Amino acid sequence: MAHPLNALVAARLVEPAADALRQKRTTFRLAEPMLRFHHLVIEPNEAQARRERGPALWRSLQDTVSSRIYGPHFEHLARTWCLEHAEEATLGGTALSVAATTVACRTHRSGHGWTWWLPPGRPATPGGSWPSVKRNGDAEPCDVAHLERLEHARDVLGAVGARLLLFSRSGFTRGLHAAARRRGDVELIDLERLYRGS
């Protein structure tokens, strides 16, 4: 599988997704959102689409499109922004690399997804890395509850002092803006900041 996989990576159709904490655990994902759209939406529903049931079919697929196409692409943009565009003041340092991981939580009996930026010279461990990104791909603005969930995940990880970056394509509530202004460990990144500033 190595040769065809390398060819797909070279063509930028597939990209490796290394785990920030489990360095030997690399998976691969489709790099092109339109390919994901084809495999998740068009191909499995082609028969219904041909029967001219497009509007109803599209409504039924909104959760899939949001969570498995828009969401992963928005996370990719956030990771790229942290690595290539964010200022040191935003991250609290310079990012050497950016990778995602999932941290198990006994309280919620599930995993919390994180994107980590790794400073130069720091090992990929909770004590030496900084969890930094939580994305919100929903249509509703991020609110204080999103920040509280992010703080909980930081506590689960034991990463005291880690900066928290919330990315949202729908903006943030006034309450969340007020909460972020009162503290120095929270950064809010909306689409305007994602594309125009760091």
Side-chain angles (χ1 to χ4, degrees):
M1 290 293 294
H3 180 70
L5 194 55
N6 288 336
L8 290 171
V9 170
R12 297 185 180 179
L13 298 174
V14 170
E15 60 186 4
D19 191 291
L21 296 180
R22 305 166 188 88
Q23 294 184 347
K24 294 184 178 180
R25 183 181 172 188
T26 299
T27 57
F28 291 85
R29 60 175 171 244
L30 290 174
E32 173 54 55
M34 288 307 299
L35 283 177
R36 287 197 296 270
F37 184 83
H38 177 80
H39 285 288
L40 292 169
V41 175
I42 296 175
E43 187 175 3
N45 300 288
E46 188 174 356
Q48 292 189 56
R50 286 184 176 178
R51 295 191 195 106
E52 298 183 359
R53 296 177 182 169
L57 177 62
W58 182 246
R59 286 191 297 273
S60 72
L61 292 169
Q62 287 305 296
D63 287 344
T64 297
V65 172
S66 179
S67 64
R68 301 185 66 187
I69 299 173
Y70 294 160
H73 184 63
F74 191 72
E75 289 174 354
H76 169 74
L77 292 176
R79 286 191 297 268
T80 301
W81 187 85
C82 285
L83 186 61
E84 298 180 4
H85 304 290
E87 295 178 352
E88 289 189 22
T90 298
L91 298 178
T94 303
L96 175 65
S97 62
V98 178
T101 192
T102 300
V103 179
C105 174
R106 293 182 181 178
T107 303
H108 296 101
R109 297 182 179 178
S110 64
H112 297 295
W114 283 97
T115 293
W116 296 65
W117 74 267
L118 308 181
R122 296 263 185 106
T125 64
S129 303
W130 296 83
S132 58
V133 179
K134 176 66 176 176
R135 64 95 184 163
N136 173 35
D138 301 331
E140 297 297 322
C142 272
D143 58 19
V144 175
H146 288 89
L147 177 58
E148 291 171 348
R149 284 196 293 272
L150 197 55
E151 288 178 301
H152 168 71
R154 178 174 64 180
D155 293 343
V156 169
L157 190 61
V160 178
R163 295 181 63 77
L164 304 174
L165 279 68
L166 285 88
F167 288 77
S168 174
R169 65 184 176 97
S170 307
F172 308 95
T173 63
R174 290 182 180 179
L176 182 52
H177 275 291
R181 283 193 297 269
R182 289 193 297 267
R183 42 195 296 180
D185 63 340
V186 176
E187 294 280 348
L188 306 180
I189 297 96
D190 57 13
L191 288 180
E192 182 176 359
R193 187 173 177 189
L194 186 67
Y195 285 103
R196 297 188 181 183
S198 57

